[in-house]
Amino acid sequence: MKDHIFRGIFLIQLLCAGGTALQSPPTAKLQLKNDYVLVDFRDVPLSFMNYSYNGVIRHTNHKYTAFVAVLPSSINNNFSFELPHGGCGNLGNTSQTASLRNCMYATNAGYFGEVDESCVGNLIINSTIHQASGTSRVNFALTNTSFVVGYLTNDTVIGGRFNWSQLISGAGWLVRSGIVYINDSAGIEQLPKRFVTEKAPRTGICAARNGTLIIVEVDGQEDISAGLDLYEFSEVLQELGCWQAVNLDGGGSSTCVYNGIVINKPTCRDTSEICERNVSSITCIRT
């Protein structure tokens, strides 16, 4: 992780107390070749931390509120993706699933079918393959020793090359090796322009260069075009020290839960009403 994130975290902790719905992008074609990056775990000697802050996007002057969780060490022991009761094909709100799975900190995670409530893309939880769909969407994964971020063939997902502990498909490789990558990944993943440019709440997950896990949620309200587009969200993640970053489900799904309490302002109906949307998978941190 770049030094500025630690300076930023320290300063922020001193200063801060701790239209239509954003549609899931259409199902993507089968990924035909591997293109991924590995980031090794390093067990940075810091404790888990979470914080919120108010920021401004440099090039657009858009204001935003972000909620950040940082897990520097023992990542495989303390992090997983999780599903609601009944698994794929069932939904539950983030706080319910966090309670069910004993998560101290949780956010929404993967995309899901709007009609059949199915999981979308690849999903591996605690080394169990819940779905291997064959997709050109970017993946965020953990092995026993490293993060793996990028595009994976179905053979790579299920073929034994990696000893996966966690794996999920997103929509948009936002930061690649420290560089904003959304223009490239939107083309590769065939993301609709409106999906990329709409102002909306956002959720993302990333690996810092030093092997730290970072999860970020930014609030918004779609009916008044409040929130960030994916270019702006990429900039936020880059500034937070993300080396490889993936966009997860956003919009009214975006929710943060800490110790059983919803700490952000989720907008499940894409209006000013504060409410949790029922979602499929979540991120889960236990310490």
Side-chain angles (χ1 to χ4, degrees):
M1 183 185 295
K2 298 177 181 178
D3 290 341
H4 71 256
I5 186 172
F6 295 115
R7 293 196 297 270
I9 288 169
F10 178 70
L11 291 172
I12 290 163
Q13 287 177 321
L14 287 177
L15 293 170
C16 302
T20 53
L22 181 67
Q23 300 294 312
S24 299
T27 302
K29 65 182 180 181
L30 182 69
Q31 179 63 24
L32 299 180
K33 66 177 183 177
N34 291 313
D35 180 14
Y36 56 81
V37 178
L38 277 67
V39 180
D40 291 338
F41 302 148
R42 297 182 189 172
D43 276 350
V44 178
L46 292 170
S47 300
F48 166 79
M49 63 186 77
N50 69 288
Y51 60 94
S52 63
Y53 72 96
N54 297 318
V56 179
I57 301 297
R58 289 193 310 269
H59 69 279
T60 62
N61 289 321
H62 285 160
K63 297 179 180 180
Y64 65 92
T65 299
F67 295 79
V68 184
V70 182
L71 183 62
S73 60
S74 301
I75 293 169
N76 250 332
N77 294 327
N78 294 321
F79 174 79
S80 63
F81 298 112
E82 296 293 345
L83 287 165
H85 180 74
C88 281
N90 296 273
L91 304 180
N93 66 45
T94 300
S95 60
Q96 289 172 336
T97 305
S99 176
L100 177 68
R101 306 304 182 191
N102 298 313
C103 308
M104 178 188 67
Y105 190 96
T107 70
N108 68 295
Y111 292 89
F112 56 93
E114 296 174 5
V115 176
D116 60 5
E117 302 180 347
S118 60
C119 297
V120 173
N122 301 314
L123 183 62
I124 297 174
I125 298 175
N126 301 323
S127 302
T128 297
I129 299 175
H130 289 263
Q131 185 162 288
S133 63
T135 176
S136 66
R137 299 283 182 244
V138 65
N139 299 274
F140 189 94
L142 285 71
T143 71
N144 291 333
T145 59
S146 66
F147 299 100
V148 181
V149 181
Y151 304 115
L152 305 169
T153 66
N154 217 39
D155 286 345
T156 302
V157 173
I158 65 177
R161 178 183 301 185
F162 290 98
N163 183 18
W164 305 116
S165 57
Q166 315 291 332
L167 188 153
I168 199 166
S169 295
W173 191 345
L174 301 183
V175 179
R176 179 171 182 165
S177 300
I179 305 299
V180 171
Y181 195 62
I182 182 58
N183 273 334
D184 298 82
S185 66
I188 294 168
E189 301 177 42
Q190 301 177 342
L191 301 178
K193 181 177 180 181
R194 184 171 178 273
F195 177 81
V196 174
T197 60
E198 182 178 3
K199 308 295 185 184
R202 300 290 180 178
T203 304
I205 188 168
C206 75
R209 195 171 189 177
N210 68 352
T212 295
L213 175 71
I214 305 173
I215 303 171
V216 183
E217 188 275 340
V218 172
D219 276 353
Q221 183 181 323
E222 289 177 69
D223 66 341
I224 59 171
S225 298
L228 301 182
D229 62 38
L230 289 185
Y231 297 102
E232 295 169 323
F233 192 37
S234 299
E235 180 180 310
V236 170
L237 295 173
Q238 184 186 46
E239 290 183 346
L240 285 170
C242 291
W243 189 244
Q244 312 293 338
V246 168
N247 181 56
L248 299 176
D249 188 17
S253 298
S254 288
T255 307
C256 292
V257 176
Y258 180 53
N259 285 335
I261 298 172
V262 177
I263 58 174
N264 74 314
K265 295 181 178 179
T267 51
C268 72
R269 295 182 176 87
D270 307 311
T271 66
S272 60
E273 179 182 359
I274 306 303
C275 53
E276 284 189 79
R277 176 177 291 174
N278 287 338
V279 299
S280 181
S281 54
I282 66 168
T283 67
C284 175
I285 293 175
R286 308 174 183 90
T287 60

PDB file of all heavy atoms in Angstrom, residues 81-103 116-119 123 125 130 278-282 286:
ATOM      1  N   PHE A  81     -16.246 -14.324   1.195  1.00  0.00           N
ATOM      2  CA  PHE A  81     -17.543 -13.972   0.648  1.00  0.00           C
ATOM      3  C   PHE A  81     -18.553 -14.899   1.312  1.00  0.00           C
ATOM      4  O   PHE A  81     -18.217 -16.010   1.731  1.00  0.00           O
ATOM      5  CB  PHE A  81     -17.568 -14.138  -0.868  1.00  0.00           C
ATOM      6  CG  PHE A  81     -16.578 -13.245  -1.572  1.00  0.00           C
ATOM      7  CD1 PHE A  81     -15.471 -13.775  -2.219  1.00  0.00           C
ATOM      8  CD2 PHE A  81     -16.751 -11.872  -1.573  1.00  0.00           C
ATOM      9  CE1 PHE A  81     -14.547 -12.954  -2.858  1.00  0.00           C
ATOM     10  CE2 PHE A  81     -15.843 -11.032  -2.196  1.00  0.00           C
ATOM     11  CZ  PHE A  81     -14.737 -11.574  -2.844  1.00  0.00           C
ATOM     12  N   GLU A  82     -19.794 -14.463   1.407  1.00  0.00           N
ATOM     13  CA  GLU A  82     -20.825 -15.279   2.038  1.00  0.00           C
ATOM     14  C   GLU A  82     -22.146 -15.126   1.302  1.00  0.00           C
ATOM     15  O   GLU A  82     -22.353 -14.149   0.579  1.00  0.00           O
ATOM     16  CB  GLU A  82     -21.007 -14.909   3.517  1.00  0.00           C
ATOM     17  CG  GLU A  82     -19.799 -15.182   4.408  1.00  0.00           C
ATOM     18  CD  GLU A  82     -19.471 -16.660   4.574  1.00  0.00           C
ATOM     19  OE1 GLU A  82     -20.338 -17.507   4.245  1.00  0.00           O
ATOM     20  OE2 GLU A  82     -18.360 -16.967   5.057  1.00  0.00           O
ATOM     21  N   LEU A  83     -23.038 -16.086   1.504  1.00  0.00           N
ATOM     22  CA  LEU A  83     -24.367 -16.092   0.900  1.00  0.00           C
ATOM     23  C   LEU A  83     -25.438 -16.134   1.979  1.00  0.00           C
ATOM     24  O   LEU A  83     -25.188 -16.600   3.096  1.00  0.00           O
ATOM     25  CB  LEU A  83     -24.526 -17.328   0.001  1.00  0.00           C
ATOM     26  CG  LEU A  83     -23.778 -17.310  -1.327  1.00  0.00           C
ATOM     27  CD1 LEU A  83     -23.730 -18.708  -1.933  1.00  0.00           C
ATOM     28  CD2 LEU A  83     -24.426 -16.325  -2.301  1.00  0.00           C
ATOM     29  N   PRO A  84     -26.644 -15.692   1.654  1.00  0.00           N
ATOM     30  CA  PRO A  84     -27.744 -15.790   2.623  1.00  0.00           C
ATOM     31  C   PRO A  84     -28.170 -17.243   2.814  1.00  0.00           C
ATOM     32  O   PRO A  84     -27.701 -18.152   2.106  1.00  0.00           O
ATOM     33  CB  PRO A  84     -28.852 -14.962   1.980  1.00  0.00           C
ATOM     34  CG  PRO A  84     -28.565 -15.034   0.519  1.00  0.00           C
ATOM     35  CD  PRO A  84     -27.063 -15.082   0.397  1.00  0.00           C
ATOM     36  N   HIS A  85     -29.054 -17.454   3.738  1.00  0.00           N
ATOM     37  CA  HIS A  85     -29.591 -18.798   3.971  1.00  0.00           C
ATOM     38  C   HIS A  85     -30.168 -19.357   2.674  1.00  0.00           C
ATOM     39  O   HIS A  85     -30.917 -18.672   1.976  1.00  0.00           O
ATOM     40  CB  HIS A  85     -30.680 -18.748   5.045  1.00  0.00           C
ATOM     41  CG  HIS A  85     -31.280 -20.080   5.351  1.00  0.00           C
ATOM     42  ND1 HIS A  85     -30.618 -21.051   6.075  1.00  0.00           N
ATOM     43  CD2 HIS A  85     -32.485 -20.616   5.008  1.00  0.00           C
ATOM     44  CE1 HIS A  85     -31.379 -22.122   6.178  1.00  0.00           C
ATOM     45  NE2 HIS A  85     -32.514 -21.890   5.544  1.00  0.00           N
ATOM     46  N   GLY A  86     -29.805 -20.555   2.317  1.00  0.00           N
ATOM     47  CA  GLY A  86     -30.279 -21.188   1.094  1.00  0.00           C
ATOM     48  C   GLY A  86     -29.341 -21.056  -0.078  1.00  0.00           C
ATOM     49  O   GLY A  86     -29.514 -21.724  -1.095  1.00  0.00           O
ATOM     50  N   GLY A  87     -28.332 -20.173   0.026  1.00  0.00           N
ATOM     51  CA  GLY A  87     -27.309 -20.078  -1.011  1.00  0.00           C
ATOM     52  C   GLY A  87     -27.774 -19.334  -2.248  1.00  0.00           C
ATOM     53  O   GLY A  87     -28.729 -18.537  -2.219  1.00  0.00           O
ATOM     54  N   CYS A  88     -27.090 -19.579  -3.369  1.00  0.00           N
ATOM     55  CA  CYS A  88     -27.435 -18.924  -4.633  1.00  0.00           C
ATOM     56  C   CYS A  88     -28.885 -19.200  -4.995  1.00  0.00           C
ATOM     57  O   CYS A  88     -29.382 -20.318  -4.819  1.00  0.00           O
ATOM     58  CB  CYS A  88     -26.514 -19.436  -5.748  1.00  0.00           C
ATOM     59  SG  CYS A  88     -24.876 -18.692  -5.768  1.00  0.00           S
ATOM     60  N   GLY A  89     -29.539 -18.175  -5.512  1.00  0.00           N
ATOM     61  CA  GLY A  89     -30.965 -18.285  -5.810  1.00  0.00           C
ATOM     62  C   GLY A  89     -31.828 -17.769  -4.689  1.00  0.00           C
ATOM     63  O   GLY A  89     -33.061 -17.748  -4.801  1.00  0.00           O
ATOM     64  N   ASN A  90     -31.186 -17.339  -3.587  1.00  0.00           N
ATOM     65  CA  ASN A  90     -31.900 -16.752  -2.466  1.00  0.00           C
ATOM     66  C   ASN A  90     -31.270 -15.404  -2.141  1.00  0.00           C
ATOM     67  O   ASN A  90     -30.073 -15.199  -2.352  1.00  0.00           O
ATOM     68  CB  ASN A  90     -31.832 -17.669  -1.244  1.00  0.00           C
ATOM     69  CG  ASN A  90     -32.521 -18.997  -1.474  1.00  0.00           C
ATOM     70  OD1 ASN A  90     -33.723 -19.121  -1.264  1.00  0.00           O
ATOM     71  ND2 ASN A  90     -31.766 -19.988  -1.920  1.00  0.00           N
ATOM     72  N   LEU A  91     -32.074 -14.501  -1.606  1.00  0.00           N
ATOM     73  CA  LEU A  91     -31.598 -13.172  -1.260  1.00  0.00           C
ATOM     74  C   LEU A  91     -31.858 -12.874   0.205  1.00  0.00           C
ATOM     75  O   LEU A  91     -32.778 -13.420   0.814  1.00  0.00           O
ATOM     76  CB  LEU A  91     -32.296 -12.104  -2.115  1.00  0.00           C
ATOM     77  CG  LEU A  91     -32.207 -12.227  -3.639  1.00  0.00           C
ATOM     78  CD1 LEU A  91     -32.950 -11.069  -4.296  1.00  0.00           C
ATOM     79  CD2 LEU A  91     -30.766 -12.285  -4.109  1.00  0.00           C
ATOM     80  N   GLY A  92     -31.039 -12.004   0.744  1.00  0.00           N
ATOM     81  CA  GLY A  92     -31.236 -11.483   2.096  1.00  0.00           C
ATOM     82  C   GLY A  92     -30.523 -10.160   2.179  1.00  0.00           C
ATOM     83  O   GLY A  92     -29.579  -9.917   1.427  1.00  0.00           O
ATOM     84  N   ASN A  93     -30.933  -9.278   3.078  1.00  0.00           N
ATOM     85  CA  ASN A  93     -30.203  -8.026   3.129  1.00  0.00           C
ATOM     86  C   ASN A  93     -28.840  -8.237   3.793  1.00  0.00           C
ATOM     87  O   ASN A  93     -28.591  -9.242   4.453  1.00  0.00           O
ATOM     88  CB  ASN A  93     -31.023  -6.896   3.761  1.00  0.00           C
ATOM     89  CG  ASN A  93     -31.330  -7.101   5.222  1.00  0.00           C
ATOM     90  OD1 ASN A  93     -30.474  -7.484   6.011  1.00  0.00           O
ATOM     91  ND2 ASN A  93     -32.575  -6.820   5.608  1.00  0.00           N
ATOM     92  N   THR A  94     -27.955  -7.279   3.591  1.00  0.00           N
ATOM     93  CA  THR A  94     -26.566  -7.447   4.018  1.00  0.00           C
ATOM     94  C   THR A  94     -26.452  -7.649   5.518  1.00  0.00           C
ATOM     95  O   THR A  94     -25.682  -8.499   5.985  1.00  0.00           O
ATOM     96  CB  THR A  94     -25.730  -6.226   3.581  1.00  0.00           C
ATOM     97  OG1 THR A  94     -25.791  -6.112   2.153  1.00  0.00           O
ATOM     98  CG2 THR A  94     -24.289  -6.358   4.013  1.00  0.00           C
ATOM     99  N   SER A  95     -27.220  -6.904   6.309  1.00  0.00           N
ATOM    100  CA  SER A  95     -27.111  -7.048   7.757  1.00  0.00           C
ATOM    101  C   SER A  95     -27.617  -8.407   8.228  1.00  0.00           C
ATOM    102  O   SER A  95     -27.056  -8.996   9.169  1.00  0.00           O
ATOM    103  CB  SER A  95     -27.867  -5.918   8.464  1.00  0.00           C
ATOM    104  OG  SER A  95     -29.234  -5.923   8.131  1.00  0.00           O
ATOM    105  N   GLN A  96     -28.642  -8.952   7.588  1.00  0.00           N
ATOM    106  CA  GLN A  96     -29.135 -10.275   7.952  1.00  0.00           C
ATOM    107  C   GLN A  96     -28.080 -11.347   7.667  1.00  0.00           C
ATOM    108  O   GLN A  96     -27.812 -12.207   8.508  1.00  0.00           O
ATOM    109  CB  GLN A  96     -30.412 -10.592   7.177  1.00  0.00           C
ATOM    110  CG  GLN A  96     -31.625  -9.791   7.598  1.00  0.00           C
ATOM    111  CD  GLN A  96     -32.804 -10.011   6.668  1.00  0.00           C
ATOM    112  OE1 GLN A  96     -32.646 -10.380   5.503  1.00  0.00           O
ATOM    113  NE2 GLN A  96     -34.000  -9.765   7.169  1.00  0.00           N
ATOM    114  N   THR A  97     -27.491 -11.290   6.471  1.00  0.00           N
ATOM    115  CA  THR A  97     -26.483 -12.290   6.123  1.00  0.00           C
ATOM    116  C   THR A  97     -25.231 -12.123   6.976  1.00  0.00           C
ATOM    117  O   THR A  97     -24.599 -13.105   7.381  1.00  0.00           O
ATOM    118  CB  THR A  97     -26.135 -12.213   4.633  1.00  0.00           C
ATOM    119  OG1 THR A  97     -27.340 -12.349   3.869  1.00  0.00           O
ATOM    120  CG2 THR A  97     -25.178 -13.323   4.230  1.00  0.00           C
ATOM    121  N   ALA A  98     -24.866 -10.881   7.292  1.00  0.00           N
ATOM    122  CA  ALA A  98     -23.713 -10.643   8.164  1.00  0.00           C
ATOM    123  C   ALA A  98     -23.933 -11.262   9.533  1.00  0.00           C
ATOM    124  O   ALA A  98     -23.019 -11.867  10.117  1.00  0.00           O
ATOM    125  CB  ALA A  98     -23.456  -9.146   8.290  1.00  0.00           C
ATOM    126  N   SER A  99     -25.131 -11.126  10.067  1.00  0.00           N
ATOM    127  CA  SER A  99     -25.446 -11.733  11.354  1.00  0.00           C
ATOM    128  C   SER A  99     -25.427 -13.261  11.262  1.00  0.00           C
ATOM    129  O   SER A  99     -24.867 -13.948  12.130  1.00  0.00           O
ATOM    130  CB  SER A  99     -26.816 -11.252  11.836  1.00  0.00           C
ATOM    131  OG  SER A  99     -27.201 -11.888  13.035  1.00  0.00           O
ATOM    132  N   LEU A 100     -26.014 -13.783  10.205  1.00  0.00           N
ATOM    133  CA  LEU A 100     -26.060 -15.234  10.010  1.00  0.00           C
ATOM    134  C   LEU A 100     -24.666 -15.834   9.910  1.00  0.00           C
ATOM    135  O   LEU A 100     -24.408 -16.925  10.440  1.00  0.00           O
ATOM    136  CB  LEU A 100     -26.856 -15.540   8.728  1.00  0.00           C
ATOM    137  CG  LEU A 100     -26.963 -17.003   8.298  1.00  0.00           C
ATOM    138  CD1 LEU A 100     -27.809 -17.783   9.295  1.00  0.00           C
ATOM    139  CD2 LEU A 100     -27.556 -17.106   6.895  1.00  0.00           C
ATOM    140  N   ARG A 101     -23.744 -15.125   9.264  1.00  0.00           N
ATOM    141  CA  ARG A 101     -22.394 -15.646   9.017  1.00  0.00           C
ATOM    142  C   ARG A 101     -21.353 -15.094   9.992  1.00  0.00           C
ATOM    143  O   ARG A 101     -20.160 -15.287   9.795  1.00  0.00           O
ATOM    144  CB  ARG A 101     -21.971 -15.320   7.584  1.00  0.00           C
ATOM    145  CG  ARG A 101     -22.933 -15.784   6.507  1.00  0.00           C
ATOM    146  CD  ARG A 101     -23.203 -17.270   6.576  1.00  0.00           C
ATOM    147  NE  ARG A 101     -24.101 -17.702   5.492  1.00  0.00           N
ATOM    148  CZ  ARG A 101     -24.675 -18.893   5.428  1.00  0.00           C
ATOM    149  NH1 ARG A 101     -24.472 -19.785   6.385  1.00  0.00           N
ATOM    150  NH2 ARG A 101     -25.475 -19.196   4.416  1.00  0.00           N
ATOM    151  N   ASN A 102     -21.810 -14.417  11.047  1.00  0.00           N
ATOM    152  CA  ASN A 102     -20.907 -13.914  12.097  1.00  0.00           C
ATOM    153  C   ASN A 102     -19.842 -12.960  11.554  1.00  0.00           C
ATOM    154  O   ASN A 102     -18.656 -13.056  11.899  1.00  0.00           O
ATOM    155  CB  ASN A 102     -20.241 -15.081  12.837  1.00  0.00           C
ATOM    156  CG  ASN A 102     -21.249 -15.970  13.535  1.00  0.00           C
ATOM    157  OD1 ASN A 102     -22.142 -15.485  14.227  1.00  0.00           O
ATOM    158  ND2 ASN A 102     -21.123 -17.281  13.326  1.00  0.00           N
ATOM    159  N   CYS A 103     -20.264 -12.036  10.730  1.00  0.00           N
ATOM    160  CA  CYS A 103     -19.347 -11.051  10.160  1.00  0.00           C
ATOM    161  C   CYS A 103     -19.320  -9.806  11.037  1.00  0.00           C
ATOM    162  O   CYS A 103     -20.376  -9.263  11.379  1.00  0.00           O
ATOM    163  CB  CYS A 103     -19.796 -10.656   8.753  1.00  0.00           C
ATOM    164  SG  CYS A 103     -20.101 -12.040   7.636  1.00  0.00           S
ATOM    165  N   ASP A 116     -34.752 -14.185 -11.388  1.00  0.00           N
ATOM    166  CA  ASP A 116     -34.647 -15.480 -10.712  1.00  0.00           C
ATOM    167  C   ASP A 116     -33.772 -15.438  -9.463  1.00  0.00           C
ATOM    168  O   ASP A 116     -33.607 -16.455  -8.783  1.00  0.00           O
ATOM    169  CB  ASP A 116     -34.123 -16.549 -11.673  1.00  0.00           C
ATOM    170  CG  ASP A 116     -32.736 -16.219 -12.221  1.00  0.00           C
ATOM    171  OD1 ASP A 116     -32.126 -15.215 -11.791  1.00  0.00           O
ATOM    172  OD2 ASP A 116     -32.263 -16.976 -13.094  1.00  0.00           O
ATOM    173  N   GLU A 117     -33.198 -14.275  -9.137  1.00  0.00           N
ATOM    174  CA  GLU A 117     -32.399 -14.082  -7.931  1.00  0.00           C
ATOM    175  C   GLU A 117     -31.145 -14.960  -7.900  1.00  0.00           C
ATOM    176  O   GLU A 117     -30.568 -15.208  -6.841  1.00  0.00           O
ATOM    177  CB  GLU A 117     -33.244 -14.313  -6.672  1.00  0.00           C
ATOM    178  CG  GLU A 117     -34.466 -13.402  -6.604  1.00  0.00           C
ATOM    179  CD  GLU A 117     -35.317 -13.600  -5.371  1.00  0.00           C
ATOM    180  OE1 GLU A 117     -35.124 -14.615  -4.666  1.00  0.00           O
ATOM    181  OE2 GLU A 117     -36.187 -12.743  -5.103  1.00  0.00           O
ATOM    182  N   SER A 118     -30.720 -15.415  -9.064  1.00  0.00           N
ATOM    183  CA  SER A 118     -29.554 -16.291  -9.143  1.00  0.00           C
ATOM    184  C   SER A 118     -28.269 -15.499  -8.951  1.00  0.00           C
ATOM    185  O   SER A 118     -28.220 -14.288  -9.174  1.00  0.00           O
ATOM    186  CB  SER A 118     -29.517 -16.982 -10.510  1.00  0.00           C
ATOM    187  OG  SER A 118     -29.430 -16.003 -11.542  1.00  0.00           O
ATOM    188  N   CYS A 119     -27.202 -16.182  -8.525  1.00  0.00           N
ATOM    189  CA  CYS A 119     -25.879 -15.571  -8.518  1.00  0.00           C
ATOM    190  C   CYS A 119     -25.443 -15.342  -9.963  1.00  0.00           C
ATOM    191  O   CYS A 119     -25.776 -16.134 -10.856  1.00  0.00           O
ATOM    192  CB  CYS A 119     -24.878 -16.489  -7.835  1.00  0.00           C
ATOM    193  SG  CYS A 119     -25.231 -16.822  -6.092  1.00  0.00           S
ATOM    194  N   LEU A 123     -18.408 -17.869  -8.505  1.00  0.00           N
ATOM    195  CA  LEU A 123     -18.457 -17.677  -7.052  1.00  0.00           C
ATOM    196  C   LEU A 123     -17.887 -18.898  -6.350  1.00  0.00           C
ATOM    197  O   LEU A 123     -18.387 -20.018  -6.507  1.00  0.00           O
ATOM    198  CB  LEU A 123     -19.889 -17.431  -6.582  1.00  0.00           C
ATOM    199  CG  LEU A 123     -20.048 -17.138  -5.085  1.00  0.00           C
ATOM    200  CD1 LEU A 123     -19.302 -15.856  -4.699  1.00  0.00           C
ATOM    201  CD2 LEU A 123     -21.516 -17.045  -4.698  1.00  0.00           C
ATOM    202  N   ILE A 125     -16.644 -19.889  -2.349  1.00  0.00           N
ATOM    203  CA  ILE A 125     -16.639 -19.455  -0.961  1.00  0.00           C
ATOM    204  C   ILE A 125     -16.018 -20.553  -0.108  1.00  0.00           C
ATOM    205  O   ILE A 125     -16.472 -21.707  -0.145  1.00  0.00           O
ATOM    206  CB  ILE A 125     -18.058 -19.144  -0.463  1.00  0.00           C
ATOM    207  CG1 ILE A 125     -18.667 -17.991  -1.266  1.00  0.00           C
ATOM    208  CG2 ILE A 125     -18.056 -18.813   1.029  1.00  0.00           C
ATOM    209  CD1 ILE A 125     -20.118 -17.694  -0.913  1.00  0.00           C
ATOM    210  N   HIS A 130     -19.497 -22.581  -5.780  1.00  0.00           N
ATOM    211  CA  HIS A 130     -20.944 -22.407  -5.826  1.00  0.00           C
ATOM    212  C   HIS A 130     -21.423 -22.179  -7.254  1.00  0.00           C
ATOM    213  O   HIS A 130     -22.554 -22.542  -7.582  1.00  0.00           O
ATOM    214  CB  HIS A 130     -21.363 -21.231  -4.945  1.00  0.00           C
ATOM    215  CG  HIS A 130     -21.230 -21.508  -3.485  1.00  0.00           C
ATOM    216  ND1 HIS A 130     -22.282 -21.914  -2.697  1.00  0.00           N
ATOM    217  CD2 HIS A 130     -20.143 -21.470  -2.671  1.00  0.00           C
ATOM    218  CE1 HIS A 130     -21.865 -22.094  -1.458  1.00  0.00           C
ATOM    219  NE2 HIS A 130     -20.572 -21.821  -1.412  1.00  0.00           N
ATOM    220  N   ASN A 278     -32.463  -6.449  -0.537  1.00  0.00           N
ATOM    221  CA  ASN A 278     -32.084  -7.854  -0.484  1.00  0.00           C
ATOM    222  C   ASN A 278     -31.093  -8.155  -1.605  1.00  0.00           C
ATOM    223  O   ASN A 278     -31.347  -7.806  -2.764  1.00  0.00           O
ATOM    224  CB  ASN A 278     -33.309  -8.747  -0.608  1.00  0.00           C
ATOM    225  CG  ASN A 278     -34.159  -8.754   0.655  1.00  0.00           C
ATOM    226  OD1 ASN A 278     -33.674  -8.436   1.728  1.00  0.00           O
ATOM    227  ND2 ASN A 278     -35.426  -9.113   0.517  1.00  0.00           N
ATOM    228  N   VAL A 279     -29.985  -8.776  -1.250  1.00  0.00           N
ATOM    229  CA  VAL A 279     -28.917  -9.045  -2.203  1.00  0.00           C
ATOM    230  C   VAL A 279     -28.505 -10.503  -2.107  1.00  0.00           C
ATOM    231  O   VAL A 279     -28.994 -11.262  -1.265  1.00  0.00           O
ATOM    232  CB  VAL A 279     -27.698  -8.125  -1.950  1.00  0.00           C
ATOM    233  CG1 VAL A 279     -28.075  -6.657  -2.120  1.00  0.00           C
ATOM    234  CG2 VAL A 279     -27.110  -8.359  -0.544  1.00  0.00           C
ATOM    235  N   SER A 280     -27.599 -10.872  -2.953  1.00  0.00           N
ATOM    236  CA  SER A 280     -27.093 -12.248  -2.952  1.00  0.00           C
ATOM    237  C   SER A 280     -25.864 -12.349  -2.064  1.00  0.00           C
ATOM    238  O   SER A 280     -25.974 -12.408  -0.842  1.00  0.00           O
ATOM    239  CB  SER A 280     -26.786 -12.677  -4.392  1.00  0.00           C
ATOM    240  OG  SER A 280     -26.315 -14.004  -4.437  1.00  0.00           O
ATOM    241  N   SER A 281     -24.665 -12.303  -2.604  1.00  0.00           N
ATOM    242  CA  SER A 281     -23.470 -12.482  -1.798  1.00  0.00           C
ATOM    243  C   SER A 281     -23.061 -11.188  -1.086  1.00  0.00           C
ATOM    244  O   SER A 281     -23.470 -10.097  -1.455  1.00  0.00           O
ATOM    245  CB  SER A 281     -22.316 -12.957  -2.692  1.00  0.00           C
ATOM    246  OG  SER A 281     -22.128 -12.079  -3.776  1.00  0.00           O
ATOM    247  N   ILE A 282     -22.247 -11.363  -0.026  1.00  0.00           N
ATOM    248  CA  ILE A 282     -21.692 -10.226   0.712  1.00  0.00           C
ATOM    249  C   ILE A 282     -20.191 -10.448   0.914  1.00  0.00           C
ATOM    250  O   ILE A 282     -19.687 -11.559   0.781  1.00  0.00           O
ATOM    251  CB  ILE A 282     -22.363 -10.032   2.081  1.00  0.00           C
ATOM    252  CG1 ILE A 282     -22.060 -11.206   3.024  1.00  0.00           C
ATOM    253  CG2 ILE A 282     -23.868  -9.831   1.928  1.00  0.00           C
ATOM    254  CD1 ILE A 282     -22.428 -10.968   4.484  1.00  0.00           C
ATOM    255  N   ARG A 286     -14.083 -11.006   9.640  1.00  0.00           N
ATOM    256  CA  ARG A 286     -14.155 -11.430  11.039  1.00  0.00           C
ATOM    257  C   ARG A 286     -12.775 -11.223  11.657  1.00  0.00           C
ATOM    258  O   ARG A 286     -11.773 -11.551  11.036  1.00  0.00           O
ATOM    259  CB  ARG A 286     -14.523 -12.909  11.152  1.00  0.00           C
ATOM    260  CG  ARG A 286     -15.766 -13.314  10.361  1.00  0.00           C
ATOM    261  CD  ARG A 286     -15.955 -14.818  10.425  1.00  0.00           C
ATOM    262  NE  ARG A 286     -17.091 -15.266   9.638  1.00  0.00           N
ATOM    263  CZ  ARG A 286     -17.029 -15.622   8.358  1.00  0.00           C
ATOM    264  NH1 ARG A 286     -15.867 -15.571   7.722  1.00  0.00           N
ATOM    265  NH2 ARG A 286     -18.105 -16.021   7.715  1.00  0.00           N
TER     266      ARG A 286
END
